[in-house]
């Protein structure tokens, strides 16, 4: 690497770290309570990882009844419960004594995670999903819990905060890897790190928030693959990352699909073994482990997973404008990203194929899974929408377009304006909003002026290079960033009592 290039890389890294540190306060403020901590999965995953780290055998809650049905057909002797795991004849579980437990086993217990006392069944071993994501979230637990209730959101959500900071850096890296454009990359990072809904969503200790950085890391790594060159170490790293995604949650197989898409026509089949062998190796180690623990259980679970409840074919439509999390503010950023993605597919599919096919890969998995329509199932769509929106913004800057202008004005700008300005005012702001629309149109109209209308060469160059338009867009971006910060403060301060965004009043007859 040349000295000049190395200096540029170091400057970019330092800049990213400074930005990440500044945005960390936004991510951190009130994270232990906002959003609500009553999603069972969010408490369950760290518990599963913690019991795995302590005993080598994961224990956790599941809504899959196949565990109990199968366990009731088996004979168990002297089962007990120590608050975390089931015991056999007073002996804690380990990978060396599975024969004493005759897995699976379960224990009925009462818990309270903020919704009042509830009775749940804990199953051992928990095999609904692979272990990597749960193990990762459990690293935040330091209070030595003795039971399910003892796990604290302020501990396991610390890992989610660290992941969100890493995701911000990786969305910059992946965007740069695909487009070699620092401005596009910076816009993507700013969107992810400042939009209130995205910031709050990133706080959930859910497996989907582990899949996002892994998918971005894979895109960044494979963006350096060059046809005809020795890429074995990049391929091996990509295979490991793809395996970790799958070992976080089976739906993470979409990350492997993205890898295959990026490698097509770049590497030979023989060379691709450097990618597939690490994936298969790590995956087989995990499934060898679970087969050793409970060989008949894992087979039954695989079949039971395919027959889970079907929400219906409208699951995608139900959340096409964004995940329906309780108490989250209505925002247009998610829909903006989707429209941007559609526009990129229409304008230049080949150039943008990674983010388009990346989105479609997860959409395929999302539809094939077909189970309950939990809002967090939509989270892995997010990085593709954000990268598409950042390209949309770049194209709006460099090639002003009236249609794109109104999309921008009506979705992301309106969202920041509403939550960062409008909610603080008691006056009727219709005239302010009308003025803003006219200013946007006026700024766009200046880009259509003929430079030859002016005799002054300086003015001609300003118009020709769209300098005033660029300055206008930069000022708008700066103001939206300020509004997003004010939005975040307002939304978190008024959580659970946000104003009704729209209210339909029927006229009196």
């Amino acid at each position: 690497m040349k000295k000049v290039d190395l200096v540029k890389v170091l400057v970019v890294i330092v800049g990213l770290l400074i930005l990440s540190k500044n945005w960390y306060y936004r991510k951190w403020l009130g994270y232990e309570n906002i959003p609500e901590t009553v999603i069972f999965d969010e408490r369950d995953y760290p518990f599963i990882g913690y019991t795995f780290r302590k005993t080598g055998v994961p224990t956790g809650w599941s809504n899959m009844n196949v565990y109990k049905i199968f366990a009731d057909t088996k004979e168990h002797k002297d089962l007990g419960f120590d608050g975390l795991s089931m015991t056999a004849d007073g002996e804690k579980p380990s990978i060396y004594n599975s024969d004493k437990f005759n897995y699976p086993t379960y224990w009925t217990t009462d818990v309270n995670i903020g919704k009042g006392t509830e009775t749940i069944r804990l199953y051992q071993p928990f095999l609904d999903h692979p272990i990597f994501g749960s193990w990762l979230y459990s690293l935040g637990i330091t209070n030595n819990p003795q039971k399910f209730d003892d796990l604290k959101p302020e501990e396991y959500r610390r890992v989610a905060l660290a992941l969100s900071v890493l995701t911000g850096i990786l969305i910059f890296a992946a965007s740069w890897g695909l487009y070699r454009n620092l401005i596009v990359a910076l816009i993507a990072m700013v969107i992810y790190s400042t939009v209130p809904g995205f910031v709050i969503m990133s706080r959930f200790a859910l497996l989907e928030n582990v899949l996002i950085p892994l998918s971005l890391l894979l895109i960044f790594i494979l963006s350096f693959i060059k046809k005809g060159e020795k890429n074995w170490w990049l391929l091996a790293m990509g295979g490991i990352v793809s395996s970790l995604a799958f070992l976080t949650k089976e739906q993470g197989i979409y990350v492997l699909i993205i890898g295959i898409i990026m490698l097509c026509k770049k590497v030979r089949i023989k060379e691709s073994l450097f990618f597939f062998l690490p994936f298969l190796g790590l995956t087989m180690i995990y499934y060898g482990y679970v087969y050793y623990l409970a060989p008949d259980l894992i087979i039954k679970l695989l079949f039971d997973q395919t027959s889970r409840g079907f929400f219906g074919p409208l699951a995608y439509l139900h959340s096409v404008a964004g995940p329906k999390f309780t108490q989250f503010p209505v925002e247009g950023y998610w829909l903006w990203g989707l429209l941007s993605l559609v526009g990129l597919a229409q304008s230049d599919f080949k150039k943008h194929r990674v983010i388009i096919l990346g989105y479609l890969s997860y959409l395929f998995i999302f539809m094939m899974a077909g189970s309950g329509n939990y809002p967090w199932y939509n989270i892995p769509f997010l990085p593709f929408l954000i990268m598409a929106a950042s390209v949309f913004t770049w194209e709006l800057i460099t090639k002003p377009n009236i249609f794109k202008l109104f999309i921008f004005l009506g979705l992301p700008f309106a969202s920041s304006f509403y939550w960062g300005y409008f909610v603080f005012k008691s006056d009727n702001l219709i005239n302010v909003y009308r003025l803003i629309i006219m200013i946007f149109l006026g700024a766009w109209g200046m880009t259509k002026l003929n430079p030859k209308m002016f005799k002054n060469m300086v003015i001609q160059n300003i118009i020709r290079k769209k300098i005033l338009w660029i300055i206008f867009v930069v000022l708008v971006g700066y103001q939206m960033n300020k509004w997003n910060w004010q939005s975040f403060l307002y939304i978190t301060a008024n959580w659970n009592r946000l104003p009704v965004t729209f209210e339909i009043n029927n006229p009196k007859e």
Side-chain angles (χ1 to χ4, degrees), residues 349-363:
F349 184 92
K350 185 177 180 180
K351 180 180 179 181
H352 308 293
R353 70 186 185 94
V354 174
I355 57 176
I356 296 167
L357 294 177
Y359 181 91
L360 292 178
S361 297
Y362 184 69
L363 179 58

Side-chain angles (χ1 to χ4, degrees), residues 391-412:
V391 175
F392 175 103
T393 305
W394 173 249
E395 291 182 349
L396 181 62
I397 294 171
T398 56
K399 300 175 183 178
N401 176 288
I402 188 67
F403 179 73
K404 288 182 177 179
L405 180 69
F406 272 101
I407 293 294
F408 182 84
L409 184 59
L411 292 174

Side-chain angles (χ1 to χ4, degrees), residues 211 242 245-246 248-257 362 365:
L211 294 177
S242 299
F246 184 70
T248 295
K249 196 171 186 178
E250 293 86 347
Q251 286 87 334
I253 194 69
Y254 81 96
V255 178
L256 177 68
I257 297 173
Y362 184 69
I365 301 300

Side-chain angles (χ1 to χ4, degrees), residues 414-461:
S415 300
S416 299
F417 176 67
Y418 179 85
W419 292 107
Y421 182 82
F422 190 88
V423 292
F424 293 99
K425 305 295 179 179
S426 58
D427 301 333
N428 189 335
L429 297 177
I430 182 62
N431 290 328
V432 174
Y433 189 55
R434 288 168 177 163
L435 178 61
I436 288 173
I437 294 172
M438 297 308 297
I439 291 173
F440 267 83
L441 288 174
W444 170 80
M446 292 186 67
T447 66
K448 303 304 175 183
L449 292 176
N450 186 348
K452 295 181 180 180
M453 293 171 56
F454 303 90
K455 295 181 180 180
N456 189 296
M457 293 298 295
V458 174
I459 296 176
Q460 285 186 17
N461 285 328

Side-chain angles (χ1 to χ4, degrees), residues 175-193:
S175 300
W176 180 84
L178 292 177
Y179 296 103
R180 295 299 195 269
N181 186 319
L182 288 176
I183 296 177
V184 169
L186 182 61
I187 292 171
M189 185 181 184
V190 170
I191 293 171
Y192 175 79
S193 302

